[in-house]
Amino acid sequence: MSTVPGPGPGAGPGGAAHRGPTVRRLILGTQLRRLRERADITCAEAGYAVRGSASKISRLETGRVSFKERDVADLLTLYGVADPDEREQFLQLARRSREPDWWHRFNDLMPKWFEDYLGLEETATRIQAFELQYVPGLLQTEQYARAIAIGLRPETATGDVEGHIALRTRRQQILFGARAPRLWAIIDESVLHRPIGGRETMLGQIERLLDLTALGNISLQVVPYHRSGYSAESAFSLLRFAEAELPDIVYVQHLTGAIYLERLDDVEVYSRSFDRLAVDAETPHNSRQMLAKLRNEL
């Protein structure tokens, strides 16, 4: 039988893992944008004040790049923020947004765009994920993840693969502890019948799904064959946050990168798609029955 780990580093109270550099950049950028708009200053004017351009301000305000403390100080002056205590709060947030997070040691194993996702994933209070091809990464066993990694990159079937497995295992710690997010995953039925790694690997993965879906914060629904292919054409994740400064974000990964969608119109399209998938899918209870039946067959 598979086992469910207990709380890991960063899962306890205090929120350090839930307010990492990525989220600090997003919060700081949002606050600076509000100050700029309140002062009726354009991106171009703000860019000039920090020896940059309008596009630089846009990247700062959307949290896509790190903040230099000098730039933040100059922007605060431009926006009329003179109170020393208020300025220090902004500057401290800028300093902390540059601190390395736990995945820093895995930087050589993953692209930059995925680092941003890890920061968002750790902060989200609700993660809604739809998968057509594989079991969602947060729910994979090591053996299942290893089989995928070797199958996709047979030329790196040694140290790099083990590094990727270690990264994925560390990611999964967010599911446990007092501040664990609510994970709502929907998968196509074909995922359960795709023989990734062979019979033993799939059996372990099914058992893992049964263990995890017994937890109160994790739900899994399976879209049966006869209803699949209608509500979504590709996998995606929808991240929602408790912080008022953070918008809902849709994450869509492709072979060479990923896109992040924040516009309300875009998010609404994916939100409606997920709702339709939830209606098409078996209920969480019936989905667990499907898993139990498949485990017995294996």
Side-chain angles (χ1 to χ4, degrees), residues 209-229:
L209 291 176
L210 284 167
D211 285 347
L212 290 174
T213 53
L215 301 177
N217 63 310
I218 299 174
S219 295
L220 176 70
Q221 291 183 257
V222 180
V223 181
Y225 283 126
H226 65 278
R227 295 184 200 146
S228 65

Side-chain angles (χ1 to χ4, degrees), residues 241-253:
F241 307 90
E243 289 84 355
E245 300 93 337
L246 300 181
D248 294 342
I249 294 177
V250 174
Y251 171 80
V252 184
Q253 186 174 324

Side-chain angles (χ1 to χ4, degrees), residues 114 117 120-121 124 126-131 136-138 171 183-186 234-241 248-253 259-261 266-267 270-271 274 277:
F114 192 64
Y117 179 74
L120 295 171
E121 183 180 73
R126 176 183 287 261
I127 303 171
Q128 295 169 255
F130 171 61
E131 284 287 349
L138 288 174
R171 278 177 61 200
L183 174 62
W184 183 2
I186 300 178
S234 62
F236 65 89
S237 294
L238 178 56
L239 307 176
R240 303 183 187 274
F241 307 90
D248 294 342
I249 294 177
V250 174
Y251 171 80
V252 184
Q253 186 174 324
I259 58 175
Y260 296 84
L261 303 173
D266 293 330
V267 173
Y270 280 89
S271 182
F274 195 89
L277 285 164

Side-chain angles (χ1 to χ4, degrees), residues 118-161:
L118 290 179
L120 295 171
E121 183 180 73
E122 281 217 329
T123 305
T125 55
R126 176 183 287 261
I127 303 171
Q128 295 169 255
F130 171 61
E131 284 287 349
L132 279 162
Q133 187 88 3
Y134 304 116
V135 170
L138 288 174
L139 304 178
Q140 292 177 6
T141 65
E142 291 186 17
Q143 293 80 5
Y144 184 92
R146 184 177 291 107
I148 293 175
I150 293 175
L152 292 176
R153 295 177 295 274
E155 72 282 0
T156 62
T158 53
D160 282 356
V161 167

Side-chain angles (χ1 to χ4, degrees), residues 7-57:
H18 290 257
R19 278 287 184 103
T22 301
V23 173
R24 294 183 192 121
R25 288 201 312 268
L26 285 166
I27 292 175
L28 179 55
T30 300
Q31 292 175 339
L32 288 174
R33 176 179 56 78
R34 291 173 178 169
L35 287 173
R36 178 181 61 76
E37 292 174 346
R38 189 177 66 186
D40 197 22
I41 294 172
T42 67
C43 285
E45 291 168 337
Y48 182 81
V50 294
R51 300 151 294 279
S53 62
S55 62
K56 175 180 179 178
I57 296 301

Side-chain angles (χ1 to χ4, degrees), residues 24 52 65 85 168 171 176 178 184 228 257 262 265 282 286:
R24 294 183 192 121
V65 293
D85 292 337
R168 179 151 299 182
R171 278 177 61 200
F176 313 102
W184 183 2
S228 65
E262 302 175 20
D265 291 347
E282 297 290 347
N286 289 346

